[in-house]
Amino acid sequence: MKMVLIVIAALVLGFFSKVIYDRMLDSSESKTFDSETIDFFYESSEEMKLDNSELEKISKLVNSSATHDEILLAANLVDKDYRYTDLSLVEKYFKAVTTDSNRDLPIEIDENTLMTKVSIEPYRGFYAYSLDALLSPEEIEEFIAANNTKEDIQKICDAVYFSKYQKSNNVKFHFVWYDLSEEIILVNNLDNEVCP
């Protein structure tokens, strides 16, 4: 059983981020960018100096499968190099995205794994996953060894650390895995050094 769980976990770690990202952007399955995010743009339009046509364009982006890069650029929250232009508005944007993202959680990744929490801030992102198992210390060591290789980390980088705003602002992402007792099993940290 423990070897099966470790093998499943290894497969999940390699592909979970891309699945989550796709699910979060696929409006037919899960609306990541939802009412809070759209409300943010309308409430902040004067501060951002957005006219009605720009607001309409952003609203369409938010309701589509647009990336954060596209939305941040359209709203002038990043410059041409994707560096933040107004940190307080960027914070409000990510707060709205976080609220919308957590509305759909937990999301089942596979039969043994749930994504339980998301928190996105201008310079940090946090993703929490729960394994449907209590692992012994030996099983935790095996889980870590099976899911923390250079190849595993590169797969996560490829799946979630590809946005221009992330790299330009050296956003740090933390992926934390818990077991049923809510003990931390594994933490993967991503930034510009880990994901060049």
Side-chain angles (χ1 to χ4, degrees):
M1 168 65 178
K2 77 177 180 184
M3 211 48 191
V4 170
L5 180 62
I6 290 168
V7 169
I8 289 171
L11 293 172
V12 168
L13 185 60
F15 299 102
F16 79 97
S17 298
K18 183 64 176 152
V19 169
I20 291 303
Y21 186 76
D22 290 344
R23 281 187 180 183
M24 292 172 87
L25 292 182
D26 182 0
S27 60
S28 66
E29 192 169 334
S30 170
K31 292 183 181 177
T32 297
F33 308 116
D34 210 347
S35 59
E36 291 283 332
T37 307
I38 292 171
D39 289 349
F40 156 74
F41 283 109
Y42 280 96
E43 291 167 6
S44 304
S45 62
E46 193 173 306
E47 202 175 340
M48 287 189 282
K49 299 179 175 86
L50 298 173
D51 64 28
N52 286 341
S53 67
E54 290 169 314
L55 271 174
E56 188 175 317
K57 176 184 174 188
I58 292 167
S59 240
K60 286 179 183 173
L61 282 172
V62 168
N63 282 315
S64 71
S65 61
T67 65
H68 288 299
D69 281 341
E70 293 168 319
I71 294 168
L72 290 166
L73 192 58
N76 300 315
L77 295 176
V78 293
D79 63 19
K80 66 178 178 51
D81 296 319
Y82 292 88
R83 289 192 189 96
Y84 300 135
T85 57
D86 186 326
L87 191 55
S88 112
L89 288 173
V90 172
E91 285 172 348
K92 290 177 186 176
Y93 167 73
F94 283 122
K95 182 177 181 183
V97 170
T98 295
T99 299
D100 286 335
S101 298
N102 281 299
R103 252 189 215 124
D104 294 330
L105 297 180
I107 294 175
E108 187 175 297
I109 306 302
D110 64 24
E111 64 187 36
N112 296 310
T113 311
L114 289 176
M115 179 182 206
T116 58
K117 182 176 180 175
V118 172
S119 176
I120 304 171
E121 299 171 6
Y123 296 102
R124 186 178 86 86
F126 172 82
Y127 296 83
Y129 297 88
S130 177
L131 290 179
D132 188 18
L134 286 172
L135 302 179
S136 70
E138 296 80 25
E139 290 171 320
I140 291 172
E141 284 181 32
E142 291 175 20
F143 180 87
I144 292 169
N147 292 287
N148 207 25
T149 66
K150 272 186 161 180
E151 294 80 20
D152 294 322
I153 301 302
Q154 187 58 53
K155 287 177 185 175
I156 298 172
C157 288
D158 294 344
V160 299
Y161 205 88
F162 55 84
S163 295
K164 294 172 186 168
Y165 89 88
Q166 294 167 332
K167 294 186 180 291
S168 292
N169 296 287
N170 195 24
V171 177
K172 295 175 183 358
F173 280 93
H174 310 282
F175 295 86
V176 182
W177 297 75
Y178 297 89
D179 68 7
L180 279 178
S181 67
E182 297 187 12
E183 291 293 319
I184 294 175
I185 300 171
L186 175 64
V187 177
N188 293 112
N189 296 308
L190 307 181
D191 60 16
N192 280 345
E193 284 184 34
V194 177
C195 304

